[in-house]
Amino acid sequence: MFLPPRTTSVIQPCDQGIIRNLKGHYRSQVVHKIIDDIDADDELSANSIAKKLTLLDAIHMLRKAWNNVTSSTIVNCFRKGGFFKPDVQQPVESDNSDDTNFAAPTGLTNEAFQQFISHDDTLDCHQPQTDEEICAAFTQQDSTSTTVNESDDSDNDDHDYLLPVTNGEVKTILGRVRRFLEENGCEDFDRLYQLEDLCETTSAANRRQRTSRRVIMTRVH
């Protein structure tokens, strides 16, 4: 069942504020990261930092942004879209500060930040395809797969590869984080302890997996 055309901005809950709320939290993180990196190195530019953001960085920031979208925002957006039971209808709660307005990060005016949030609102996410175009794409897939595989080998040479982070490096970093908190008057270290436990259990599980693989390979040989 499809929604009527040209009504998504009127009746779809995600277009009633959920998407904008998510984008606001996400782009606030992007701005904060750029500012923090510039503070750490004055020679860096905002453009160079933005270009270094990886897809994995974006996924983590997007997950964190989604955690900041409140349940009341989602409920109110569904109500605005007309999704409610008539017999238990309640007035839509005013939550404009949470739905659409965000405090601008340091260095940006509210107007500039609102423009940054909505600068791609009219961007087409995809182009509708006809049945003929869909069939043509599938029939050409086999012929192009060989060319893609050949180009992958040359493209991989241009990528920078990161070395795995060792357990010792993690402990050193966590020690610096704890010292930072101590020096800045933090009195609640529970979340740091939880992070330390998470890193330790992850490292222990990884060691068990490596040991199991070595045992299996020894038995095979």
Side-chain angles (χ1 to χ4, degrees), residues 102-115:
F102 296 86
T106 303
L108 282 180
T109 64
N110 287 330
E111 181 180 1
F113 185 56
Q114 294 298 325
Q115 291 177 352

Side-chain angles (χ1 to χ4, degrees), residues 116-175:
F116 180 49
I117 294 175
S118 58
H119 77 92
D120 60 352
D121 284 352
T122 59
L123 181 67
D124 291 331
C125 298
H126 59 83
Q127 180 179 359
Q129 290 181 308
T130 64
D131 293 340
E132 291 77 10
E133 291 173 336
I134 295 174
C135 292
F138 277 102
T139 55
Q140 295 175 0
Q141 185 174 2
D142 293 336
S143 61
T144 57
S145 59
T146 304
T147 305
V148 172
N149 290 335
E150 290 175 353
S151 63
D152 284 346
D153 295 335
S154 59
D155 291 341
N156 288 337
D157 296 336
D158 299 330
H159 293 299
D160 294 330
Y161 294 96
L162 298 176
L163 295 176
V165 180
T166 65
N167 188 44
E169 290 174 333
V170 171
K171 291 183 178 180
T172 300
I173 293 171
L174 289 175

